[in-house]
Structure formats: C-alpha cells, structure tokens
Amino acid sequence: MNRNGLYLIIAVLAVVAIGLGIYVYREENKPGIEIRIGQDGVSVEEN
C-alpha cells in the first residue's frame, strides 16, 4: 500500500471518529423528560 492510501484511510477514520463524537455529545445533551416509577410513587424530572 502506498502512502496516499494510508493517508486516506487515516483521514476517513478521523472523520468517522469526529462524527461519532459529535453524535454522542448531542445525544447526551438532548433535553428531555425522565419519568421514574418506584416505591415512593411517580417522579418526573426535566433534563
């Protein structure tokens, strides 16, 4: 494999890693409502 192919593979992997990181960050910070049902009753929390 020549150097250009190796650089291409590294660039593609870097783009995939950055894209996955952005996706995970946005999913973790998405506003939402959490509903819990337990022994103490129903609890509703807004994230």
Side-chain angles (χ1 to χ4, degrees), residues 1-41:
M1 183 181 303
N2 59 15
R3 283 190 181 198
N4 289 338
L6 184 60
Y7 291 148
L8 178 64
I9 291 172
I10 291 171
V12 168
L13 289 175
V15 168
V16 169
I18 291 169
L20 183 61
I22 291 170
Y23 173 77
V24 169
Y25 176 77
R26 291 186 67 186
E27 286 296 316
E28 288 292 323
N29 292 322
K30 187 184 294 187
I33 296 175
E34 183 177 339
I35 300 173
R36 295 184 198 169
I37 302 174
Q39 292 179 346
D40 297 333

